[in-house]
PDB file of all heavy atoms in Angstrom:
ATOM      1  N   SER A  25      -4.247-120.705 -53.056  1.00 72.00           N
ATOM      2  CA  SER A  25      -3.328-119.592 -52.829  1.00 72.00           C
ATOM      3  C   SER A  25      -2.049-119.774 -53.633  1.00 72.00           C
ATOM      4  O   SER A  25      -1.442-118.811 -54.072  1.00 72.00           O
ATOM      5  CB  SER A  25      -3.004-119.448 -51.344  1.00 72.00           C
ATOM      6  OG  SER A  25      -2.297-120.572 -50.877  1.00 72.00           O
ATOM      7  N   LEU A  26      -1.621-121.021 -53.850  1.00 68.00           N
ATOM      8  CA  LEU A  26      -0.455-121.282 -54.674  1.00 68.00           C
ATOM      9  C   LEU A  26      -0.727-120.879 -56.124  1.00 68.00           C
ATOM     10  O   LEU A  26       0.123-120.299 -56.793  1.00 68.00           O
ATOM     11  CB  LEU A  26      -0.060-122.757 -54.598  1.00 68.00           C
ATOM     12  CG  LEU A  26       1.218-123.174 -55.296  1.00 68.00           C
ATOM     13  CD1 LEU A  26       2.407-122.431 -54.706  1.00 68.00           C
ATOM     14  CD2 LEU A  26       1.419-124.663 -55.163  1.00 68.00           C
ATOM     15  N   ASP A  27      -1.928-121.184 -56.615  1.00 67.00           N
ATOM     16  CA  ASP A  27      -2.297-120.774 -57.969  1.00 67.00           C
ATOM     17  C   ASP A  27      -2.330-119.258 -58.090  1.00 67.00           C
ATOM     18  O   ASP A  27      -1.925-118.697 -59.108  1.00 67.00           O
ATOM     19  CB  ASP A  27      -3.655-121.359 -58.358  1.00 67.00           C
ATOM     20  CG  ASP A  27      -3.595-122.865 -58.601  1.00 67.00           C
ATOM     21  OD1 ASP A  27      -2.488-123.377 -58.871  1.00 67.00           O
ATOM     22  OD2 ASP A  27      -4.659-123.515 -58.505  1.00 67.00           O
ATOM     23  N   GLU A  28      -2.815-118.580 -57.047  1.00 70.00           N
ATOM     24  CA  GLU A  28      -2.867-117.118 -57.077  1.00 70.00           C
ATOM     25  C   GLU A  28      -1.459-116.532 -57.102  1.00 70.00           C
ATOM     26  O   GLU A  28      -1.209-115.543 -57.782  1.00 70.00           O
ATOM     27  CB  GLU A  28      -3.630-116.597 -55.860  1.00 70.00           C
ATOM     28  CG  GLU A  28      -5.116-116.862 -55.903  1.00 70.00           C
ATOM     29  CD  GLU A  28      -5.824-116.436 -54.625  1.00 70.00           C
ATOM     30  OE1 GLU A  28      -5.191-115.758 -53.797  1.00 70.00           O
ATOM     31  OE2 GLU A  28      -6.995-116.787 -54.461  1.00 70.00           O
ATOM     32  N   GLN A  29      -0.527-117.149 -56.371  1.00 68.00           N
ATOM     33  CA  GLN A  29       0.845-116.658 -56.379  1.00 68.00           C
ATOM     34  C   GLN A  29       1.466-116.813 -57.758  1.00 68.00           C
ATOM     35  O   GLN A  29       2.197-115.943 -58.218  1.00 68.00           O
ATOM     36  CB  GLN A  29       1.693-117.409 -55.351  1.00 68.00           C
ATOM     37  CG  GLN A  29       1.415-117.016 -53.930  1.00 68.00           C
ATOM     38  CD  GLN A  29       2.230-117.835 -52.942  1.00 68.00           C
ATOM     39  OE1 GLN A  29       2.776-118.864 -53.295  1.00 68.00           O
ATOM     40  NE2 GLN A  29       2.301-117.368 -51.718  1.00 68.00           N
ATOM     41  N   LYS A  30       1.175-117.907 -58.422  1.00 65.00           N
ATOM     42  CA  LYS A  30       1.717-118.110 -59.766  1.00 65.00           C
ATOM     43  C   LYS A  30       1.172-117.085 -60.740  1.00 65.00           C
ATOM     44  O   LYS A  30       1.854-116.640 -61.639  1.00 65.00           O
ATOM     45  CB  LYS A  30       1.409-119.524 -60.259  1.00 65.00           C
ATOM     46  CG  LYS A  30       2.234-120.586 -59.577  1.00 65.00           C
ATOM     47  CD  LYS A  30       1.927-121.951 -60.131  1.00 65.00           C
ATOM     48  CE  LYS A  30       2.759-123.015 -59.439  1.00 65.00           C
ATOM     49  NZ  LYS A  30       2.452-124.355 -59.937  1.00 65.00           N
ATOM     50  N   LYS A  31      -0.089-116.701 -60.567  1.00 65.00           N
ATOM     51  CA  LYS A  31      -0.687-115.703 -61.448  1.00 65.00           C
ATOM     52  C   LYS A  31      -0.084-114.325 -61.205  1.00 65.00           C
ATOM     53  O   LYS A  31      -0.008-113.511 -62.120  1.00 65.00           O
ATOM     54  CB  LYS A  31      -2.198-115.647 -61.231  1.00 65.00           C
ATOM     55  CG  LYS A  31      -2.933-116.855 -61.776  1.00 65.00           C
ATOM     56  CD  LYS A  31      -4.405-116.762 -61.505  1.00 65.00           C
ATOM     57  CE  LYS A  31      -5.142-118.008 -61.960  1.00 65.00           C
ATOM     58  NZ  LYS A  31      -6.560-117.963 -61.613  1.00 65.00           N
ATOM     59  N   LYS A  32       0.333-114.045 -59.957  1.00 71.00           N
ATOM     60  CA  LYS A  32       0.875-112.740 -59.619  1.00 71.00           C
ATOM     61  C   LYS A  32       2.326-112.569 -60.070  1.00 71.00           C
ATOM     62  O   LYS A  32       2.825-111.461 -60.088  1.00 71.00           O
ATOM     63  CB  LYS A  32       0.792-112.514 -58.104  1.00 71.00           C
ATOM     64  CG  LYS A  32      -0.608-112.313 -57.611  1.00 71.00           C
ATOM     65  CD  LYS A  32      -0.631-112.077 -56.123  1.00 71.00           C
ATOM     66  CE  LYS A  32      -2.048-111.949 -55.602  1.00 71.00           C
ATOM     67  NZ  LYS A  32      -2.089-111.756 -54.159  1.00 71.00           N
ATOM     68  N   GLU A  33       3.013-113.656 -60.407  1.00 77.00           N
ATOM     69  CA  GLU A  33       4.387-113.539 -60.865  1.00 77.00           C
ATOM     70  C   GLU A  33       4.434-112.741 -62.160  1.00 77.00           C
ATOM     71  O   GLU A  33       3.647-112.955 -63.062  1.00 77.00           O
ATOM     72  CB  GLU A  33       5.005-114.917 -61.073  1.00 77.00           C
ATOM     73  CG  GLU A  33       5.239-115.675 -59.798  1.00 77.00           C
ATOM     74  CD  GLU A  33       5.854-117.037 -60.046  1.00 77.00           C
ATOM     75  OE1 GLU A  33       6.230-117.331 -61.200  1.00 77.00           O
ATOM     76  OE2 GLU A  33       5.946-117.798 -59.085  1.00 77.00           O
ATOM     77  N   VAL A  34       5.385-111.841 -62.232  1.00 81.00           N
ATOM     78  CA  VAL A  34       5.527-110.976 -63.397  1.00 81.00           C
ATOM     79  C   VAL A  34       6.568-111.582 -64.321  1.00 81.00           C
ATOM     80  O   VAL A  34       7.644-111.995 -63.889  1.00 81.00           O
ATOM     81  CB  VAL A  34       5.960-109.562 -62.964  1.00 81.00           C
ATOM     82  CG1 VAL A  34       6.193-108.674 -64.172  1.00 81.00           C
ATOM     83  CG2 VAL A  34       4.931-108.959 -62.041  1.00 81.00           C
ATOM     84  N   GLU A  35       6.253-111.633 -65.593  1.00 86.00           N
ATOM     85  CA  GLU A  35       7.207-112.133 -66.569  1.00 86.00           C
ATOM     86  C   GLU A  35       8.256-111.062 -66.833  1.00 86.00           C
ATOM     87  O   GLU A  35       7.934-109.902 -67.071  1.00 86.00           O
ATOM     88  CB  GLU A  35       6.493-112.493 -67.868  1.00 86.00           C
ATOM     89  CG  GLU A  35       7.415-113.060 -68.909  1.00 86.00           C
ATOM     90  CD  GLU A  35       6.720-113.378 -70.209  1.00 86.00           C
ATOM     91  OE1 GLU A  35       5.489-113.496 -70.207  1.00 86.00           O
ATOM     92  OE2 GLU A  35       7.420-113.489 -71.231  1.00 86.00           O
ATOM     93  N   ILE A  36       9.519-111.453 -66.751  1.00 86.00           N
ATOM     94  CA  ILE A  36      10.615-110.528 -66.986  1.00 86.00           C
ATOM     95  C   ILE A  36      10.846-110.434 -68.494  1.00 86.00           C
ATOM     96  O   ILE A  36      11.098-111.430 -69.156  1.00 86.00           O
ATOM     97  CB  ILE A  36      11.905-110.998 -66.287  1.00 86.00           C
ATOM     98  CG1 ILE A  36      11.672-111.246 -64.797  1.00 86.00           C
ATOM     99  CG2 ILE A  36      13.036-110.019 -66.515  1.00 86.00           C
ATOM    100  CD1 ILE A  36      11.295-110.022 -64.023  1.00 86.00           C
ATOM    101  N   THR A  37      10.764-109.232 -69.008  1.00 90.00           N
ATOM    102  CA  THR A  37      10.932-109.010 -70.440  1.00 90.00           C
ATOM    103  C   THR A  37      12.373-108.582 -70.740  1.00 90.00           C
ATOM    104  O   THR A  37      13.087-108.126 -69.838  1.00 90.00           O
ATOM    105  CB  THR A  37       9.973-107.923 -70.936  1.00 90.00           C
ATOM    106  OG1 THR A  37      10.312-106.693 -70.293  1.00 90.00           O
ATOM    107  CG2 THR A  37       8.526-108.284 -70.627  1.00 90.00           C
ATOM    108  N   PRO A  38      12.805-108.713 -71.981  1.00 91.00           N
ATOM    109  CA  PRO A  38      14.151-108.235 -72.343  1.00 91.00           C
ATOM    110  C   PRO A  38      14.334-106.728 -72.079  1.00 91.00           C
ATOM    111  O   PRO A  38      15.425-106.293 -71.729  1.00 91.00           O
ATOM    112  CB  PRO A  38      14.255-108.547 -73.833  1.00 91.00           C
ATOM    113  CG  PRO A  38      13.345-109.712 -74.031  1.00 91.00           C
ATOM    114  CD  PRO A  38      12.197-109.482 -73.076  1.00 91.00           C
ATOM    115  N   MET A  39      13.267-105.961 -72.215  1.00 94.00           N
ATOM    116  CA  MET A  39      13.373-104.528 -71.938  1.00 94.00           C
ATOM    117  C   MET A  39      13.668-104.282 -70.461  1.00 94.00           C
ATOM    118  O   MET A  39      14.446-103.384 -70.116  1.00 94.00           O
ATOM    119  CB  MET A  39      12.076-103.811 -72.350  1.00 94.00           C
ATOM    120  CG  MET A  39      12.149-102.310 -72.170  1.00 94.00           C
ATOM    121  SD  MET A  39      13.521-101.531 -73.033  1.00 94.00           S
ATOM    122  CE  MET A  39      12.912-101.543 -74.680  1.00 94.00           C
ATOM    123  N   MET A  40      13.068-105.079 -69.577  1.00 95.00           N
ATOM    124  CA  MET A  40      13.356-104.955 -68.146  1.00 95.00           C
ATOM    125  C   MET A  40      14.815-105.289 -67.858  1.00 95.00           C
ATOM    126  O   MET A  40      15.457-104.640 -67.022  1.00 95.00           O
ATOM    127  CB  MET A  40      12.450-105.874 -67.339  1.00 95.00           C
ATOM    128  CG  MET A  40      11.020-105.468 -67.280  1.00 95.00           C
ATOM    129  SD  MET A  40      10.118-106.711 -66.336  1.00 95.00           S
ATOM    130  CE  MET A  40       8.502-105.999 -66.315  1.00 95.00           C
ATOM    131  N   ASP A  41      15.348-106.298 -68.565  1.00 95.00           N
ATOM    132  CA  ASP A  41      16.754-106.653 -68.399  1.00 95.00           C
ATOM    133  C   ASP A  41      17.661-105.510 -68.850  1.00 95.00           C
ATOM    134  O   ASP A  41      18.657-105.198 -68.197  1.00 95.00           O
ATOM    135  CB  ASP A  41      17.090-107.915 -69.196  1.00 95.00           C
ATOM    136  CG  ASP A  41      16.502-109.171 -68.598  1.00 95.00           C
ATOM    137  OD1 ASP A  41      16.253-109.198 -67.377  1.00 95.00           O
ATOM    138  OD2 ASP A  41      16.272-110.137 -69.355  1.00 95.00           O
ATOM    139  N   LEU A  42      17.319-104.883 -69.964  1.00 96.00           N
ATOM    140  CA  LEU A  42      18.115-103.759 -70.458  1.00 96.00           C
ATOM    141  C   LEU A  42      18.101-102.592 -69.480  1.00 96.00           C
ATOM    142  O   LEU A  42      19.138-101.980 -69.205  1.00 96.00           O
ATOM    143  CB  LEU A  42      17.608-103.301 -71.821  1.00 96.00           C
ATOM    144  CG  LEU A  42      17.954-104.177 -73.017  1.00 96.00           C
ATOM    145  CD1 LEU A  42      17.160-103.753 -74.236  1.00 96.00           C
ATOM    146  CD2 LEU A  42      19.442-104.118 -73.292  1.00 96.00           C
ATOM    147  N   ILE A  43      16.931-102.292 -68.944  1.00 96.00           N
ATOM    148  CA  ILE A  43      16.812-101.177 -68.007  1.00 96.00           C
ATOM    149  C   ILE A  43      17.572-101.483 -66.721  1.00 96.00           C
ATOM    150  O   ILE A  43      18.302-100.629 -66.193  1.00 96.00           O
ATOM    151  CB  ILE A  43      15.331-100.863 -67.727  1.00 96.00           C
ATOM    152  CG1 ILE A  43      14.685-100.291 -68.986  1.00 96.00           C
ATOM    153  CG2 ILE A  43      15.180 -99.902 -66.555  1.00 96.00           C
ATOM    154  CD1 ILE A  43      13.177-100.162 -68.920  1.00 96.00           C
ATOM    155  N   ALA A  44      17.434-102.703 -66.210  1.00 97.00           N
ATOM    156  CA  ALA A  44      18.135-103.084 -64.982  1.00 97.00           C
ATOM    157  C   ALA A  44      19.648-103.016 -65.181  1.00 97.00           C
ATOM    158  O   ALA A  44      20.380-102.549 -64.303  1.00 97.00           O
ATOM    159  CB  ALA A  44      17.717-104.485 -64.550  1.00 97.00           C
ATOM    160  N   GLY A  45      20.131-103.461 -66.337  1.00 97.00           N
ATOM    161  CA  GLY A  45      21.559-103.389 -66.617  1.00 97.00           C
ATOM    162  C   GLY A  45      22.054-101.955 -66.725  1.00 97.00           C
ATOM    163  O   GLY A  45      23.133-101.624 -66.231  1.00 97.00           O
ATOM    164  N   GLY A  46      21.262-101.107 -67.360  1.00 96.00           N
ATOM    165  CA  GLY A  46      21.638 -99.700 -67.459  1.00 96.00           C
ATOM    166  C   GLY A  46      21.697 -99.018 -66.111  1.00 96.00           C
ATOM    167  O   GLY A  46      22.615 -98.241 -65.824  1.00 96.00           O
ATOM    168  N   VAL A  47      20.731 -99.325 -65.257  1.00 97.00           N
ATOM    169  CA  VAL A  47      20.723 -98.742 -63.908  1.00 97.00           C
ATOM    170  C   VAL A  47      21.911 -99.254 -63.098  1.00 97.00           C
ATOM    171  O   VAL A  47      22.569 -98.503 -62.383  1.00 97.00           O
ATOM    172  CB  VAL A  47      19.382 -99.045 -63.195  1.00 97.00           C
ATOM    173  CG1 VAL A  47      19.442 -98.687 -61.728  1.00 97.00           C
ATOM    174  CG2 VAL A  47      18.249 -98.303 -63.884  1.00 97.00           C
ATOM    175  N   ALA A  48      22.210-100.552 -63.218  1.00 97.00           N
ATOM    176  CA  ALA A  48      23.343-101.124 -62.487  1.00 97.00           C
ATOM    177  C   ALA A  48      24.666-100.516 -62.943  1.00 97.00           C
ATOM    178  O   ALA A  48      25.528-100.189 -62.122  1.00 97.00           O
ATOM    179  CB  ALA A  48      23.367-102.638 -62.668  1.00 97.00           C
ATOM    180  N   GLY A  49      24.828-100.349 -64.248  1.00 97.00           N
ATOM    181  CA  GLY A  49      26.050 -99.731 -64.759  1.00 97.00           C
ATOM    182  C   GLY A  49      26.189 -98.282 -64.325  1.00 97.00           C
ATOM    183  O   GLY A  49      27.277 -97.836 -63.951  1.00 97.00           O
ATOM    184  N   THR A  50      25.095 -97.559 -64.353  1.00 97.00           N
ATOM    185  CA  THR A  50      25.102 -96.165 -63.918  1.00 97.00           C
ATOM    186  C   THR A  50      25.455 -96.060 -62.440  1.00 97.00           C
ATOM    187  O   THR A  50      26.287 -95.233 -62.045  1.00 97.00           O
ATOM    188  CB  THR A  50      23.734 -95.517 -64.190  1.00 97.00           C
ATOM    189  OG1 THR A  50      23.457 -95.588 -65.593  1.00 97.00           O
ATOM    190  CG2 THR A  50      23.701 -94.075 -63.736  1.00 97.00           C
TER     191      THR A  50
END
Side-chain angles (χ1 to χ4, degrees):
S25 65
L26 186 61
D27 288 338
E28 289 175 11
Q29 286 177 344
K30 287 182 180 178
K31 288 179 184 176
K32 289 181 183 178
E33 291 180 8
V34 177
E35 182 182 341
I36 306 296
T37 64
M39 184 56 76
M40 289 178 177
D41 288 335
L42 285 169
I43 292 170
V47 169
T50 301

